[in-house]
């Protein structure tokens, strides 16, 4: 998340004392200009601030509501815990350009650019809160709008996650059959990466809502706790080169430059994986791939260093499936207990393969009859 936005939400998220004061100002259909000043004495001396009168009082929402009934700016300390002055005149450098039209907003923007401090302009006419900080402008959204947008993003992300998990189950089956194509992999990665992108869009709404975000934050954290690991493991299994990331989720970084449109383009995903010669749907379907075994080994909860050593000892998942206890324990860092864990997971995969083959044989037998 942008550090500037974090700073803004730290002070102005719903439920924060300053936001309560701003909400009172808006409810009363008043306007206001708040200046969170880091160097008040310096700015007084230089004439940027021209006092109306000093307040030097602890901050309370009710106080800035009452003080906003007067003309001029309200000056607070940088963390918003003290009201320093009210009815103040702010005189920013006239040479500083501004994209705003209203006097209050123009002043707020110029003061923020000149000082690097945070300023807030509450529009009486439009009932909008504009925040300026270090050359950035951000409009605070009403609480009900924030919740609506947050829930929408989380709901969409949940749908994509479910689709991704279903495709992951399909990939497991195709791996046991030795029938994985590049088309399968790019479709799975598309759903997984879009899930991550969508849920990341919800982050700013969570930050702006702060402590009142509620259960939506838990859903957000759950998606980001699991999906990037699964996606990263698929990337490490099927990238054209054996990637050297220690954690599976770090492998998603190879897609960080791709936007939403890119992530629905199978050829962009394929090329990012390293398959640069793919140019048609037939290429995607006919390019057969074999898992390196990262995903199945990560599921054992073994340390990533141990997983890497096992993968490096076998060419692919098919060879790993035939690994013996002795072969595993010969690998540095893989003792008896870890070898047993790996074999247990591989045996489960073998049983799934046998069940699939048996079901396939039964279907073929019925069709012949």
């Amino acid at each position: 998340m942008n550090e500037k936005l974090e700073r803004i939400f730290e002070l102005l998220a719903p439920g924060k004392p300053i936001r309560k004061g701003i909400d009172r100002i808006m409810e009363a259909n008043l306007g206001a200009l708040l200046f969170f000043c880091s160097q008040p004495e310096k700015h007084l001396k230089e004439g940027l601030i021209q006092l109306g009168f000093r307040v030097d009082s602890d901050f309370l929402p009710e106080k800035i509501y009452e003080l906003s009934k007067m003309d001029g700016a309200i000056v607070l300390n940088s963390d918003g815990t003290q009201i320093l002055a009210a009815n103040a005149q702010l005189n920013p450098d006239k040479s500083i350009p501004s994209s705003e039209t209203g006097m209050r907003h123009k002043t707020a923007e110029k003061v923020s650019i000149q000082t690097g401090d945070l300023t807030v302009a509450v529009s009486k006419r439009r009932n909008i809160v504009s925040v300026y900080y270090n050359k950035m402008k951000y409009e605070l959204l009403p609480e009900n709008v924030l919740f609506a947008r947050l829930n929408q993003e989380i709901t969409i992300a949940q749908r994509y996650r479910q689709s991704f998990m279903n495709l992951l189950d399909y990939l497991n089956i195709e791996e046991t059959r030795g029938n994985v194509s590049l088309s399968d992999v790019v479709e799975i990665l598309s759903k997984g990466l879009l899930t991550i992108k969508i849920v990341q869009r919800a982050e700013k709404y969570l930050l702006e809502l702060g402590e009142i975000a509620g259960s939506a934050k838990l859903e957000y954290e759950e998606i980001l706790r699991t999906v990037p690991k699964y996606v990263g493991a698929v990337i490490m299994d099927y990238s054209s080169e054996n990637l050297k990331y220690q954690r599976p989720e770090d492998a998603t970084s190879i897609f960080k430059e791709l936007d939403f449109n890119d992530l629905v383009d199978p050829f962009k995903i394929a090329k990012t994986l390293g398959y640069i010669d793919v140019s048609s749907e037939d290429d995607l379907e006919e390019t057969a791939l074999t898992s390196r075994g990262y995903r199945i080994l990560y599921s054992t909860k073994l340390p990533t260093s141990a997983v890497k050593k096992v993968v490096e000892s076998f060419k692919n998942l098919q060879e790993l499936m035939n690994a013996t206890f002795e072969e595993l324990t010969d690998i540095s860092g893989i003792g008896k207990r870890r070898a047993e864990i790996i074999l247990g997971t591989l045996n489960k995969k073998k049983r799934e393969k046998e069940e699939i083959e048996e079901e396939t044989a039964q279907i073929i037998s019925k069709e012949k009859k």
Side-chain angles (χ1 to χ4, degrees), residues 198-211:
I198 292 166
V199 80
Q200 285 174 339
R201 288 194 313 197
E203 185 178 10
K204 71 174 183 178
Y205 302 128
L206 283 169
L207 281 172
E208 190 167 346
L209 283 167
E211 296 174 358

Side-chain angles (χ1 to χ4, degrees), residues 10 13 27 72 81 83 87 90 108 162 204 206 292 339 347 359:
E10 180 186 341
E27 288 166 4
T81 57
I83 302 173
N87 194 222
L90 302 182
Q162 187 58 54
K204 71 174 183 178
L206 283 169
R292 291 186 175 90
N347 287 334
E359 289 175 3

Side-chain angles (χ1 to χ4, degrees), residues 8 19 52 114 127 133 168 195 197 212 256 259 314:
I8 290 170
R19 184 62 175 269
Q114 183 172 334
N127 209 33
Y133 181 52
L168 207 56
T195 302
K197 281 273 190 186
I212 66 172
K256 65 182 179 181
D259 60 22
F314 298 90

Side-chain angles (χ1 to χ4, degrees), residues 260-284:
F260 279 92
N261 291 330
D262 294 331
L263 293 178
V264 295
D265 184 336
F267 301 105
K268 287 278 181 69
I269 295 175
K271 290 181 188 301
T272 304
L273 279 174
Y275 302 96
I276 57 176
D277 296 328
V278 172
S279 59
S280 69
E281 293 288 346
D282 287 342
D283 288 341
L284 291 172

Side-chain angles (χ1 to χ4, degrees), residues 315-343:
K315 290 182 179 180
N316 52 51
L317 177 60
Q318 298 305 318
E319 289 201 8
L320 178 60
M321 294 282 285
N322 295 320
T324 65
F325 181 82
E326 290 74 20
E327 287 174 328
L328 289 170
T329 53
D330 282 343
I331 299 171
S332 175
I334 305 299
K336 293 182 179 180
R337 180 176 175 277
R338 288 180 177 177
E340 289 171 354
I341 291 172
I342 293 171
L343 287 174

Side-chain angles (χ1 to χ4, degrees), residues 165-175 179 184 188:
M165 297 304 291
N166 291 341
L167 287 170
L168 207 56
D169 288 339
Y170 168 78
L171 180 63
N172 289 335
I173 294 171
E174 293 303 285
E175 283 178 344
N179 193 32
D184 297 328
I188 289 166

